[in-house]
Amino acid sequence: MLVPVEWINDYIDLKDIPTDEFCDCMIMSGSNLETCEYLCEGIENVVVGRIKEIKQHPDADKLVICRVDVGEAEAAGKDEDGLLQIVTGAPNVFEGAYVPVALHNSRIPGPFHGQPKHEGGEVIKKGKLRGVESFGMLCSAGELGFEDKVVPVAHRDGIWILEPEVHEGIENQIGQDFAEALQLRQAVVDFEITPNRPDCLAQIGMAREAAATFGRTFEYPDIALEEAGDGKASDFVDVEIRNKENCRRYVARIVTDVVVKQSPWWLQKRLMYAGMRPINNIVDFTNFVMLEYGQPLHAFDIKEVHGGKIIVENAAPSEVFTTLDETERKLDSDMLMIKDTERSIAVAGVMGGLNSEIQDDTKTIIIESANFNGDSVRTTAKRLGLRTEASARFEKGIDPNLTEAAADRVCKLIEMTGAGKVMKGSVDVYPEPAGAKTMDVRVSRINYVLGIELSREEMVRMLEGLEIKVEGEGDIMRVTPPTVRQDLLEEEDYVEEIARMYGYDRLPVTLPKGNSEAGMPYERSLRDAAREALCGMGLNEIQTYSFVSPSGVDKIGIGEDSWERAFVRIINPLGEDTSVMRTVLTPNMLDVLARNCSRNLNDVRAFEIGNTFMDNPISRDNLPDEDYALCIGMYGQDVDFFTLKGIIEELLANLGITDVSFQAESEYGVYHPGRCARVLVEASDAMKMAGEEYEELGIMGEIHPDVAENYGMDGMRIYCCELMFGQIVRRADTEIVYTPLPKYPSTSRDIALLVEEEMEVGRIEKVIRERGGAILESVRLFDVYRGKQVEEGKKSVAFTLVYRDMNKTLTDQEVAEVHEGVLKALREELGAVLREM
């Protein structure tokens, strides 16, 4: 929010306050400041001149020679008539024009000859143009440091012409310093306005803050009207609000005998310094009042408002409308529009229509001052890709009680400048008037929170300086804020107001009190434990984006009807590659492995713990399912299926999950059908009651050769697994129970079993553990053999069984009885035959 200090002085006298002090005090009272810029400080030796004579350059068709009167200004090159010869190529110069003249050895900020302005500006010196001497330069607004976006429409092309009807008294200022003559040297402060203070998106709002900060008297602009027009506003126009939810108030005033011309210079200057381009007086008045009050306004040519009626309602489905920027825009039925009896004439709160804009021959206008719902305006502006100064203010919320005063202020400016006659009264449709929220605030509470000792009288003075009405007595202050202060809703808000006005720099510094204890959520602690365990096993952690391409599941061979395709789609994606939220981590992992492989890294072991998202159309709150997953990926010379299996077992053991088994899987397209297994744990009691024996944690295996080829890793053996971390959290048991070292010795037995080729080792281990009883301490597979001594279709698997009793030394007979029971169960349940070792 650009605030020219000169403009603030229209409402509060701060002329005795240095600008630096003004900025410092405003910061301490809670107004965040971005920058403070002193404008036109870089202009030196530029004066007001008048072109007395123009003649064509003898050797250049596009250049002319001007003889310029610069009055009493000291300037090199004056002729016997006291005039300067200056050569220019500007097309808009004419004899008698008043112009800014940069004399020999002057300095201007630029941009100069199309180059961007830079520190220190440009020095102008006398020279020759095509053989003709030129003792200075006639300047455009841009060359004097004004950005193109604020240069008045009348002066966008060519030299800055100073019209006497706009710049009063310019005839008597020839030879004077240009910046002084036009009062250009002043400070402009750029405040950062927080979203909860839309009242400060106005010069009046910032003046109100300054008045409270410095304890000065604040005066509102004069809006008393003569209303010299013959007739009433209601004779010209009628207003109907059909969407009362999105339009809380609509005020229309009528002005006749309109004269469209340039605005007076004092108003143009304020607009320019506040970042807006002067266009013509009617448009400038509405823009000026928007910046002054924070209330957007619009002017319609009444002859283009058919039927003499304003209707506020939503657009027709697929309606096409041309806005003032001459762009056709397709509307939808949720967008609020301003219409007459036949068509739309403006997008409510965003921009007017080309079909009702002010023309040079406009004689009667409707001044619109309305209050529109911020959410509606924001949605419309976003869908149309059209964000304006008006929409930015409506989005943050505007007090509907501003509309009448703002409309009257525009009419007052019209009367002051003789630009038209204002009709009596207004058409004001205000279905549900908004009032202020009155509440009780405790003096003791404010002092307690801030750690200060202020009297009630001091607090009342501060609050009344902010135009907050205070009643009651004793410790209770009954406060009623002005309706523009939509942020004052709770007692804590008034604590902040007192803190601001007291001065943040004066508040005592104290440490917070309390016995808070830091902690970490259990699930996060498990994720950290998993990271530590995997890093300890030599894996590197990676992080990838949650926004992915839907083609990722195609590359890993996922079926069309698989749950992995239940994507959450992004409404406004950056592109197709980031258009959905990932359901699995495997495609991201394979992307990383492929990238490392392409860079000739021969051994990679990586893991990621990240969020996955799945669309859930039957969710009660219409939100997707979100959970964590763990993905491991690796390739290299010493990596195989059992390497990955061992890492998974060790990881789960670290998290207290020991009853892990692996079940062969051949139907999942991501992995090689003969080298894939599902990772299972024994089912919980609830699942067992439902008939389930195992609960799945995830899947692991060697990536299918076709999938590897899709990622440019043809012929390589890549191993991956993806585990559902939410399931791991539910089954984890990280409580450490002390177990004393055994006092009694163990004894071991090695067995080699001949079983069918299809027999799973996990199934054999399960039978051994079930029959081994309490004295079976461990079972370890140490060999799998297929060869000449083993008949075709079978394999030999060898285990070491360790027996121990924690309370005594086992005898051979006790071990033999249990061991024989194990062998018998293997033989009867699995058909396993004991081989000679």
Side-chain angles (χ1 to χ4, degrees), residues 72 100 105 121 132 156 184 190 194 254 364 391 398 422 429 456 483 530 532 556 651 661 663 693:
E72 301 299 323
N105 279 332
V132 176
R156 288 186 66 180
L184 293 174
D190 187 2
T194 54
I254 303 298
T364 302
S391 69
I398 297 177
V422 179
V429 181
R456 174 193 170 92
T483 52
E532 186 175 349
I556 64 171
L651 168 66
S661 60
Q663 184 183 77
E693 185 178 359

Side-chain angles (χ1 to χ4, degrees), residues 401-413:
N401 294 311
L402 285 176
T403 54
E404 185 177 22
D408 289 348
R409 176 61 167 161
V410 172
C411 293
K412 180 66 176 180
L413 293 172

Side-chain angles (χ1 to χ4, degrees), residues 206-279:
M206 293 310 303
R208 187 187 299 113
E209 290 290 303
T213 300
F214 292 97
R216 302 292 175 90
T217 302
F218 171 73
E219 294 184 3
Y220 281 93
D222 180 16
I223 57 174
L225 298 171
E226 297 177 7
E227 298 183 328
D230 296 327
K232 299 183 295 184
S234 56
D235 298 334
F236 290 80
V237 68
D238 185 26
V239 175
E240 179 185 359
I241 300 177
R242 294 180 181 174
N243 187 337
K244 294 181 176 62
E245 179 181 356
N246 291 334
C247 180
R248 299 174 63 187
R249 188 178 187 184
Y250 195 103
V251 174
R253 296 214 64 144
I254 303 298
V255 180
T256 62
D257 300 331
V258 171
V259 179
V260 180
K261 57 183 180 180
Q262 286 194 59
S263 302
W265 171 241
W266 66 265
L267 190 144
Q268 289 194 41
K269 180 173 60 173
R270 281 162 170 72
L271 287 178
M272 292 168 68
Y273 281 179
M276 298 196 77
R277 182 196 308 281
I279 298 174

Side-chain angles (χ1 to χ4, degrees), residues 517-526 528:
E517 183 177 346
M520 181 181 293
Y522 178 63
E523 183 176 348
R524 180 173 175 181
S525 68
L526 289 179
D528 287 349

Side-chain angles (χ1 to χ4, degrees), residues 393-458:
R393 284 168 168 77
F394 279 122
E395 287 173 15
K396 294 176 176 62
I398 297 177
D399 176 20
N401 294 311
L402 285 176
T403 54
E404 185 177 22
D408 289 348
R409 176 61 167 161
V410 172
C411 293
K412 180 66 176 180
L413 293 172
I414 290 174
E415 287 185 344
M416 286 171 55
T417 57
K421 295 180 180 179
V422 179
M423 294 296 102
K424 295 178 176 61
S426 63
V427 179
D428 187 355
V429 181
Y430 197 2
E432 297 181 13
K437 179 182 179 181
T438 298
M439 64 176 299
D440 291 340
V441 177
R442 294 165 290 173
V443 172
S444 57
R445 174 65 177 171
I446 294 175
N447 280 326
Y448 174 76
V449 172
L450 299 181
I452 57 178
E453 291 294 335
L454 281 180
S455 67
R456 174 193 170 92
E457 290 70 25
E458 289 176 293

Side-chain angles (χ1 to χ4, degrees), residues 102-108 112 122-126 136-137:
L103 304 176
H104 173 62
N105 279 332
S106 61
R107 187 182 298 274
I108 60 175
F112 186 67
E122 294 283 347
V123 176
I124 305 301
K125 293 183 176 291
K126 65 181 180 180
M137 186 177 81

Side-chain angles (χ1 to χ4, degrees), residues 170-213:
I170 197 68
E171 306 95 327
N172 303 319
Q173 295 175 314
I174 296 175
Q176 291 187 19
D177 182 270
F178 178 79
E180 294 294 336
L182 271 66
Q183 298 179 333
L184 293 174
R185 289 192 178 95
Q186 60 174 286
V188 176
V189 183
D190 187 2
F191 287 101
E192 178 191 357
I193 308 302
T194 54
N196 67 318
R197 292 299 305 274
D199 59 297
C200 288
L201 285 172
Q203 304 297 329
I204 285 178
M206 293 310 303
R208 187 187 299 113
E209 290 290 303
T213 300

